Amino acid sequence: MRLSNNLIYKQNIGNVLDKQQMVMDAQQRVNTQKKFLGASEDPSAFTTAQLLTDRIQMNEQHQKNAILLNARLTTEESVLNNINDTLFRVEMLTIQAGNGAHNEIDRQSIASELKEIQKSMLNLMNAQSEDGRYIFSGYQDQTQTYLYNPDTEKYEYQGDQGLHSIPLAENVRIGSSDNGFEVFENVDARLDVVSYNGAATSTATGTVYVENQDEFDLFHKENFDRSPSAPVGANTYNVVITPPVSNITSSTYEIMRNGVPLVPPITGDLDGETIQFNGLKIDIPEDQTGQFDFELEPLGKENILNTIDQLIIGLEDETLDNDQYRQYLADALVQVKNSSEQISFTQSRLGGRLNALERVMDSNESLDINNKASRSDLVEVDIAEAISDLTKHETALQASHATFGRLANMSLLDYI
């Protein structure tokens, strides 16, 4: 009889403990909202869910990167907008300085405003991101982008040509900045001649200035020899003067290239009139003999800070004649225009990156929703179903307790 009672007791205790474990498991599923409490319950689903969790975490980091990238690109966009607005003001002042009615005091006033603009421009080109890094210094973003070198008397770029990028998705990186070399240094200078007073090889005196820039640009681009193996004098032109002979009353000239006549020949009378040649204005006094040489200047680059510096020098130099003064203004107008175009080109690329960033962020957000939904289907519990299971197991446990209580108090006398 004792053996029988002990067996019944143990069986009911075991049943109660099983029911208690079921309640605890159901309670834990409700609290954690997880379908499986351990990998052993469904190894395949558990592994897949872990892979999805890793992807979700990586995607969250990519979204944080996207927010950072958006802030940096927006900051750069604002800086470039300000620089372009400033360039427009420089252009207006340069045009204003070309007004023949302006006197020296007017020019000094314009120069004073340009000095303040130059300071503002320097600050913008040395702009920093929210974490203190110089936006336009490339990989050298702890180094100030532009500094004035008193030895060369020029503003010099201190960065490199590096381009930072930030990962935004698997195999997707977007540039987070533009270096100053591409934005400010890679700006074409105005095409010109090497010296307005001619080359050192000249035996006659004279001057040569660019009068029609568009015509000269076309001539320069078609004729300048950029080959490293070009012979000495390949880009030198000669105005060869022939004194009057027999019944000819004035000297004549022929324009040659490095001593070789042009085809067709370019000739004329040297009668004190200006010689017009492919956008150039060449002035040689009538009494000169020999030849006047001039050389085409190679294509160069110039940043806007040095362009403004040269413009200020031209405005403040009272010894310049009108032709020389006009060359300073022409340099500034062309280079300001080229700088503005380079800024606009950079803005266009930046806008493309911002658009790409928006698309990647949208894609990441959709991917995040899909991954979370897939993970939820695999391992997250249906809360309504989980509560129902908990209630069911609690009811079963209460019934087991009640049954065990009655059986535990039973004795043989209850049946006599």
Side-chain angles (χ1 to χ4, degrees):
M1 181 67 181
R2 181 176 298 174
L3 179 62
S4 178
N5 284 341
N6 285 341
L7 180 60
I8 293 173
Y9 185 83
K10 287 181 179 180
Q11 287 178 338
N12 280 277
I13 279 290
N15 187 45
V16 169
L17 292 175
D18 288 343
K19 293 293 190 295
Q20 285 179 334
Q21 185 63 49
M22 290 178 180
V23 170
M24 290 174 60
D25 289 348
Q27 183 66 56
Q28 191 172 355
R29 285 185 172 85
V30 170
N31 292 339
T32 63
Q33 298 185 19
K34 292 181 178 179
K35 188 181 296 185
F36 308 116
L37 302 180
S40 60
E41 294 185 41
D42 191 333
S44 176
F46 197 86
T47 301
T48 303
Q50 186 58 51
L51 290 174
L52 289 170
T53 298
D54 292 342
R55 291 179 184 176
I56 290 168
Q57 291 173 346
M58 180 63 71
N59 194 61
E60 288 174 351
Q61 183 58 55
H62 285 152
Q63 288 296 74
K64 290 178 182 178
N65 289 352
I67 293 171
L68 173 63
L69 176 60
N70 184 69
R72 289 188 177 179
L73 293 182
T74 302
T75 298
E76 181 183 341
E77 184 180 40
S78 176
V79 171
L80 291 176
N81 284 336
N82 286 332
I83 290 176
N84 233 352
D85 289 343
T86 306
L87 285 173
F88 179 74
R89 180 56 183 165
V90 174
E91 183 180 10
M92 292 299 99
L93 288 173
T94 306
I95 294 172
Q96 182 181 336
N99 187 335
H102 282 341
N103 55 30
E104 295 300 329
I105 295 177
D106 296 325
R107 293 182 184 180
Q108 291 292 334
S109 176
I110 293 172
S112 296
E113 182 175 348
L114 284 170
K115 288 177 182 178
E116 296 305 314
I117 287 175
Q118 188 183 48
K119 293 176 185 176
S120 172
M121 185 75 75
L122 179 62
N123 287 333
L124 289 169
M125 292 163 69
N126 283 328
Q128 295 170 274
S129 61
E130 66 284 347
D131 56 356
R133 298 178 183 274
Y134 289 94
I135 294 175
F136 300 111
S137 288
Y139 292 145
Q140 308 301 318
D141 54 13
Q142 299 290 345
T143 302
Q144 183 170 315
T145 310
Y146 276 92
L147 289 174
Y148 182 75
N149 185 339
D151 294 330
T152 61
E153 298 183 337
K154 284 184 174 293
Y155 290 89
E156 296 178 352
Y157 180 57
Q158 305 298 306
D160 58 25
Q161 297 183 47
L163 294 171
H164 288 290
S165 62
I166 294 179
L168 297 181
E170 187 175 355
N171 299 321
V172 176
R173 299 181 71 92
I174 292 181
S176 59
S177 65
D178 294 278
N179 63 68
F181 182 85
E182 288 295 331
V183 181
F184 308 120
E185 293 294 304
N186 193 26
V187 175
D188 290 339
R190 172 181 172 242
L191 295 177
D192 206 345
V193 294
V194 173
S195 172
Y196 301 132
N197 294 316
T201 55
S202 297
T203 58
T205 61
T207 58
V208 55
Y209 294 104
V210 177
E211 187 173 56
N212 186 321
Q213 192 68 50
D214 291 338
E215 185 180 355
F216 177 73
D217 287 352
L218 182 60
F219 166 71
H220 189 290
K221 291 173 183 176
E222 290 180 348
N223 291 277
F224 187 83
D225 191 340
R226 294 176 173 80
S227 172
S229 59
V232 176
N235 295 303
T236 299
Y237 285 78
N238 329 103
V239 182
V240 180
I241 303 166
T242 302
V245 291
S246 73
N247 61 340
I248 299 176
T249 59
S250 64
S251 299
T252 59
Y253 70 86
E254 180 176 4
I255 298 179
M256 301 183 181
R257 179 172 184 172
N258 198 21
V260 179
L262 301 179
V263 180
I266 304 296
T267 61
D269 294 329
L270 191 67
D271 52 7
E273 296 295 327
T274 296
I275 300 171
Q276 301 292 335
F277 175 67
N278 290 301
L280 292 170
K281 181 181 75 168
I282 305 170
D283 287 312
I284 302 174
E286 291 182 74
D287 60 353
Q288 293 299 298
T289 59
Q291 66 184 43
F292 175 76
D293 300 334
F294 62 91
E295 185 179 357
L296 302 183
E297 188 175 47
L299 176 64
K301 305 290 182 180
E302 190 62 272
N303 70 58
I304 188 60
L305 294 172
N306 292 327
T307 295
I308 296 174
D309 216 36
Q310 288 301 304
L311 177 57
I312 292 171
I313 290 172
L315 288 166
E316 293 182 334
D317 190 345
E318 298 180 10
T319 66
L320 298 176
D321 63 31
N322 186 61
D323 283 329
Q324 292 169 330
Y325 176 67
R326 292 291 168 184
Q327 296 307 303
Y328 277 98
L329 298 183
D331 283 347
L333 280 174
V334 171
Q335 287 158 203
V336 166
K337 174 177 174 291
N338 291 344
S339 296
S340 182
E341 288 178 352
Q342 189 67 15
I343 296 293
S344 296
F345 177 67
T346 303
Q347 288 176 308
S348 177
R349 291 186 304 178
L350 190 149
R353 296 205 299 273
L354 282 168
N355 289 336
L357 170 61
E358 184 178 356
R359 290 193 295 271
V360 171
M361 290 181 72
D362 290 343
S363 175
N364 283 347
E365 186 175 348
S366 298
L367 185 63
D368 193 50
I369 292 172
N370 292 336
N371 285 337
K372 286 180 178 179
S374 298
R375 185 181 64 177
S376 176
D377 291 340
L378 284 171
V379 297
E380 292 183 13
V381 73
D382 182 330
I383 193 65
E385 183 180 348
I387 291 173
S388 176
D389 286 343
L390 175 60
T391 302
K392 180 179 67 176
H393 291 310
E394 285 177 338
T395 301
L397 177 60
Q398 291 171 359
S400 295
H401 279 150
T403 301
F404 178 69
R406 289 197 298 271
L407 290 175
N409 293 324
M410 286 175 54
S411 68
L412 185 61
L413 295 174
D414 294 329
Y415 297 96
I416 298 175

